[in-house]
Amino acid sequence: MSRQVYLAGKLVPAEQATVSVFDHGLLYGDGVFEGLRSYGGKVFRLAEHVDRLYESALAICLKIPLSRDEMAAAINETVAANEIKDGYIRAVVTRGSGTLGLDPNRCSNPQIIIIADAIKLYPQEYYDNGLELITSSVIRNHPAALSPRIKSLNYLNNILAKIEGMKAGCIETLMLNHKGEVAECTGDNIFLVRHGKILTPSLDAGILEGVTRNAVIELAAAAGIEVRECAITQHDVYIANECFLTGTAAEIVPVVKVDDRVIGDGRPGAVTRQLTEQFHELVRA
Ligand code: PXG
């Protein structure tokens, strides 16, 4: 069976799923997207992802020509048509095809694309042993320039940081904000554990409000672990007992070294392991 991609209101074979070279998503990164996961054919926190997609679109004055329910149905339809059980879904809304000028008003209609694919996970080794991060010299976008709350098609900020990390042999990279505080990684949120309490940067650090981040905060609260959303410095990271990242693709992945400093005892910590177990139960529920 050939892969089916949702494009312009219907499912088409992947080979025929093409967009215009005049699409402002391509010309200017003018658009928004979501990355979602399905477990056993059911999309995890679909409503939350759809809400974030519409909030991102609202923030860039992009009116999506579907209701939220219709978008959710289109995502489910694409997952079902591809017989995806444990998969990865990309939903993209671009400004649509326009002229070579910036003017978004010259774009006729937003383009909606939904792709459902097999999930490519981090190697198991990272979950077993933890990963190493460096801090990037590239700071996260200033919220007054392009808010990191918007999941836009402009990911160059993150990609530049990722390039720097990959050169240093790191699969993820820590990004600071314009105030020098810890913000997030290129495609994952960050958490610390210190003295049994969980710390994570607050939204006003200029980060994406991760769906996985919110799920982990709920799981921690349910387990009676205190979670503080607050300003975090690199120093806080270096002296943490545990560190882990959260993201749709990564789920929860332990971090054991940052900028050559060993975190805790250099092994994935007990709180990280407990939350990982709880998260696995949640997604399989
Ligand atoms: N921060 C940023 C900048 C992200 O892009 C997260 C945090 C985690 O959010 P969720 O909602 O996923 O818990 C993200 C999302 C990829 C890829 O291919 C990464 C993300 C989304 C889609 C694809 O690496 N990260």
Side-chain angles (χ1 to χ4, degrees):
M1 184 199 67
S2 95
R3 185 166 302 288
Q4 302 282 304
V5 172
Y6 180 99
L7 181 76
K10 56 179 195 291
L11 287 163
V12 297
E15 317 78 66
Q16 290 165 34
T18 56
V19 295
S20 166
V21 294
F22 295 101
D23 193 303
H24 280 208
L26 174 68
L27 291 174
Y28 299 115
D30 187 355
V32 294
F33 78 103
E34 276 299 318
L36 311 86
R37 276 286 284 278
S38 68
Y39 296 92
K42 186 176 183 297
V43 180
F44 179 67
R45 302 228 158 164
L46 176 56
E48 286 86 342
H49 280 285
V50 169
D51 283 345
R52 191 172 64 186
L53 182 70
Y54 280 70
E55 288 164 8
S56 293
L58 179 62
I60 68 161
C61 301
L62 172 63
K63 171 114 184 56
I64 302 176
L66 284 185
S67 70
R68 293 186 193 208
D69 285 348
E70 287 167 338
M71 177 65 73
I75 290 169
N76 281 329
E77 194 192 339
T78 309
V79 170
N82 288 286
E83 293 171 19
I84 298 281
K85 294 287 171 262
D86 295 325
Y88 183 79
I89 303 116
R90 177 66 53 94
V92 182
V93 185
T94 76
R95 190 77 67 181
S97 181
T99 62
L100 290 180
L102 285 177
D103 187 357
N105 299 318
R106 305 291 289 273
C107 299
S108 40
N109 37 353
Q111 181 73 267
I112 300 172
I113 302 159
I114 304 168
I115 307 164
D117 205 348
I119 177 80
K120 284 175 208 74
L121 298 169
Y122 282 151
Q124 184 59 35
E125 180 207 327
Y126 292 127
Y127 295 93
D128 296 339
N129 304 323
L131 50 83
E132 177 177 353
L133 304 177
I134 59 156
T135 305
S136 179
S137 64
V138 180
I139 64 162
R140 195 76 179 89
N141 281 331
H142 192 298
L146 174 59
S147 174
R149 300 281 298 275
I150 303 170
K151 204 163 165 59
S152 87
L153 291 179
N154 254 289
Y155 252 55
L156 266 181
N157 178 225
N158 315 56
I159 289 164
L160 291 176
K162 179 127 187 156
I163 288 170
E164 195 179 0
M166 300 286 273
K167 274 194 186 140
C170 297
I171 192 161
E172 250 297 16
T173 305
L174 184 60
M175 300 183 77
L176 307 179
N177 67 14
H178 61 286
K179 293 184 272 188
E181 300 161 351
V182 168
E184 60 183 336
C185 291
T186 67
D188 296 292
N189 292 115
I190 186 166
F191 286 78
L192 305 178
V193 180
R194 186 153 192 256
H195 301 327
K197 293 188 184 74
I198 292 178
L199 309 173
T200 196
S202 53
L203 297 182
D204 61 21
I207 61 169
L208 185 76
E209 184 178 359
V211 170
T212 319
R213 173 186 182 275
N214 286 345
V216 164
I217 290 171
E218 285 167 30
L219 289 174
I225 308 170
E226 188 185 325
V227 182
R228 268 198 225 150
E229 295 178 59
C230 55
I232 290 175
T233 64
Q234 276 177 296
H235 184 77
D236 293 317
V237 177
Y238 299 154
I239 65 168
N241 304 122
E242 299 181 32
C243 176
F244 61 88
L245 309 181
T246 65
T248 292
E251 299 183 334
I252 298 175
V253 60
V255 173
V256 294
K257 209 184 228 191
V258 180
D259 298 331
D260 236 20
R261 277 83 162 173
V262 172
I263 306 300
D265 65 1
R267 306 276 312 150
V271 175
T272 306
R273 280 186 277 118
Q274 181 194 331
L275 287 168
T276 302
E277 234 168 77
Q278 286 176 240
F279 187 79
H280 286 158
E281 280 166 28
L282 176 69
V283 298
R284 274 155 193 97

